Amino acid sequence: MNTPSSLESLIEALRCLPGVGPKSAQRMAYYLLQHNRSGAQRLAESLQLALGALRHCQRCNTFTESEICSRCLSHKRDGSLLCVVETPVDMNMLEQTHAYAGLYYVLMGRVSPLDGIGAGELHLERLLARACDGVVREVIIATNYTNEGEATAHYLSELLRSRGVSVSRIARGVPVGGELEYVDAGTLAQALRERRPLVG
Amino acid sequence: MNTPSSLESLIEALRCLPGVGPKSAQRMAYYLLQHNRSGAQRLAESLQLALGALRHCQRCNTFTESEICSRCLSHKRDGSLLCVVETPVDMNMLEQTHAYAGLYYVLMGRVSPLDGIGAGELHLERLLARACDGVVREVIIATNYTNEGEATAHYLSELLRSRGVSVSRIARGVPVGGELEYVDAGTLAQALRERRPLVG
C-alpha cells in the first residue's frame, strides 16, 4: 500500500504493547515521527537499556539491576513476614501504604487456566524454598480478589500449608470510606461472612 | 521508591506515546519485561530504523524512505488533481476508496490556534509551489470536518484562490448506509443546504 517498509515495521512493532491495536499503533507511529522524534529516540534507548540491565531478584523475583534487590538486602525489613503478590505494581501499591515492613515474593503472574497458565508456569519452587527457609514465620497471600487471583491463593495456601507453613490472606470487605449503598452485593456478603468480633 | 533506574527510565520514556499516562506506561513496561522481551527488542530496533530511514517526500510531504515517494513518482496518477489532507492516515483512507487517482499533499497537521499551531507552522510554501506549478488543475481540500479542519480548509482556500487556483472541498452529508433517524442535526442541516439537483 505504498507505506515505506520501515514505517510498516514500526507500526507492527508498536503492537507488542498491551492494549495497542492496528489503529492506535498507526497513530502512535505517525505521532512519534512527526511530533516527538526525540521521545522516540529516548524510548528506543530505554528499551535497550532496560532489556539489558533488568533481571529477576534471586530472592523476591521482582525486577532488579543486581543479583538481589535493595529491598531484600535491607536490614530494616522483617524477614519473618513474606507477602506474595502477583506483580511488581501490586508490591508498589502495598509499599505505598507504609503498613508493611516484611519482605515480598512476586509471582510475576497468576494461575489462569484460560490463558494456559497453570501452576507450573509460575515456578513456585523458589517461593517454596523461601517460605521453608526457617526464617519466614508467616506467608501473607496478597493476590488479587479476582477469579484468577483467588485460584492462585487457594493453590498456594494448599501447597504451603502441606509443608507446615503458616499462611494468611489479606482481608476483603467494605473499602475504607465506602458506603454500603454503593458496595456490590458480593463484597457485602463477604464482609458479613468475614465479620470480626469487636473487643473493648 | 526502590524501582531500578533503568525500569524508571523505561516507564518515563513510554509516556512519549500519545494517550499513555503513568499507569499505562507502568503496565506496558512490566508487560514487555515479563512477557514480551523479543517484542520490546523489535520495537527498539524498529524505532531506530524508522527514525533513521524516514523523511518527508519532497513533493507530497508524506513519510518516505527516498527523496520522492513512490506514489508521486508513479506514472499512473493524474498530476492535474491535488488532494490536500491533514495526515498520512487520511491519505491512506482515501486510497482505500480506490476512487481517486490524483496526487496528494499531506499537511502533517492542521491550523489549531488552541494548540499554538498557526498557518505558519504548516509550511504551506511547498503546497503553494505545487499548486501553482502549471500542472495542477484543481486542488481538492480533504481536511477533516472538525473545527480545526474547517479552519484549515477556509485558510487554504483563500490562499489558493487568491493565486487563481481552482479549489474544491470534499462533500459533507448523510453517510452511505446512514439513516436520517441517527444522523446528528448539524450534518442533516448541511445535507439539506448542500443538496444536489437530481438529473435524468
Side-chain angles (χ1 to χ4, degrees):
Chain A
M1 262 282 310
N2 272 322
T3 307
S5 67
S6 59
L7 182 54
E8 240 170 30
S9 309
L10 175 57
I11 293 172
E12 186 55 39
L14 281 163
R15 295 189 55 191
C16 75
L17 298 169
V20 174
K23 279 264 174 185
S24 313
Q26 197 180 49
R27 212 180 79 241
M28 284 176 168
Y30 286 123
Y31 169 83
L32 289 178
L33 288 167
Q34 185 61 19
H35 299 292
N36 201 350
R37 283 186 168 240
S38 63
Q41 184 62 44
R42 259 198 314 280
L43 176 55
E45 286 158 11
S46 301
L47 281 165
Q48 299 277 20
L49 190 69
L51 287 171
L54 292 171
R55 46 185 160 159
H56 293 287
C57 169
Q58 288 301 306
R59 301 203 73 206
C60 74
N61 203 32
T62 194
F63 292 115
T64 172
E65 289 172 358
S66 37
E67 190 83 4
I68 295 178
C69 77
S70 56
R71 189 176 290 114
C72 285
L73 287 174
S74 165
H75 296 297
K76 292 187 186 146
R77 315 286 307 203
D78 178 359
S80 70
L81 287 175
L82 186 66
C83 181
V84 180
V85 292
E86 294 181 21
T87 68
V89 179
D90 298 337
M91 182 170 70
N92 289 345
M93 297 306 289
L94 286 169
E95 280 296 284
Q96 278 165 33
T97 65
H98 298 291
Y100 180 69
L103 293 171
Y104 292 91
Y105 189 87
V106 183
L107 293 172
M108 293 287 175
R110 62 206 66 87
V111 174
S112 176
L114 287 178
D115 301 319
I117 304 171
E121 274 67 43
L122 291 181
H123 305 292
L124 300 175
E125 319 82 53
R126 280 188 18 233
L127 167 57
L128 285 183
R130 251 326 264 296
C132 302
D133 65 357
V135 182
V136 172
R137 205 166 29 82
E138 178 184 350
V139 173
I140 303 167
I141 302 183
T143 56
N144 290 324
Y145 268 113
T146 57
N147 286 341
E148 290 91 350
E150 280 280 70
T152 310
H154 181 74
Y155 181 83
L156 275 181
S157 68
E158 295 288 303
L159 203 64
L160 291 164
R161 270 203 297 243
S162 73
R163 278 164 177 75
V165 180
S166 164
V167 184
S168 63
R169 181 92 169 95
I170 53 166
R172 116 186 100 175
V174 179
V176 173
E179 295 176 86
L180 266 58
E181 187 177 348
Y182 299 107
V183 170
D184 68 290
T187 300
L188 213 47
Q190 287 296 343
L192 267 174
R193 249 176 253 138
E194 294 172 13
R195 65 193 179 276
R196 299 183 315 137
L198 282 178
V199 278
Chain B
M1 262 285 308
N2 271 323
T3 307
S5 68
S6 59
L7 181 54
E8 240 170 30
S9 309
L10 175 57
I11 293 172
E12 185 54 39
L14 281 164
R15 295 190 53 190
C16 75
L17 298 169
V20 174
K23 279 263 174 186
S24 314
Q26 198 181 46
R27 211 179 80 241
M28 286 175 168
Y30 285 123
Y31 169 82
L32 290 178
L33 288 166
Q34 184 61 19
H35 300 292
N36 202 350
R37 283 187 168 238
S38 63
Q41 184 61 43
R42 260 199 313 280
L43 176 55
E45 285 158 10
S46 301
L47 281 165
Q48 298 276 21
L49 190 71
L51 287 171
L54 292 171
R55 46 187 162 157
H56 293 287
C57 169
Q58 287 301 306
R59 302 202 73 206
C60 74
N61 203 32
T62 194
F63 292 115
T64 171
E65 289 171 359
S66 36
E67 190 81 6
I68 295 178
C69 77
S70 56
R71 189 176 290 115
C72 285
L73 287 173
S74 165
H75 295 297
K76 293 185 184 148
R77 315 286 307 204
D78 178 359
S80 71
L81 288 175
L82 186 66
C83 182
V84 181
V85 291
E86 294 181 21
T87 67
V89 179
D90 298 338
M91 182 170 70
N92 289 346
M93 297 305 289
L94 287 168
E95 281 295 285
Q96 279 165 32
T97 66
H98 299 290
Y100 180 69
L103 293 171
Y104 292 91
Y105 189 86
V106 184
L107 294 173
M108 293 287 174
R110 62 206 65 87
V111 174
S112 177
L114 287 179
D115 302 317
I117 305 171
E121 273 68 40
L122 291 181
H123 305 292
L124 301 174
E125 320 82 53
R126 277 179 33 225
L127 166 58
L128 285 182
R130 253 322 267 296
C132 302
D133 66 357
V135 183
V136 172
R137 205 168 28 82
E138 178 184 350
V139 173
I140 303 167
I141 301 183
T143 55
N144 290 325
Y145 268 112
T146 56
N147 286 341
E148 290 91 350
E150 280 281 70
T152 310
H154 180 77
Y155 182 84
L156 276 180
S157 69
E158 296 287 303
L159 203 66
L160 290 163
R161 271 202 298 242
S162 73
R163 279 163 176 77
V165 180
S166 165
V167 184
S168 63
R169 180 91 169 95
I170 53 166
R172 122 184 94 176
V174 179
V176 172
E179 295 177 86
L180 267 58
E181 186 177 349
Y182 299 108
V183 171
D184 67 290
T187 300
L188 213 47
Q190 287 296 344
L192 267 175
R193 250 176 253 135
E194 295 171 13
R195 63 192 180 275
R196 300 181 316 135
L198 283 178
V199 279

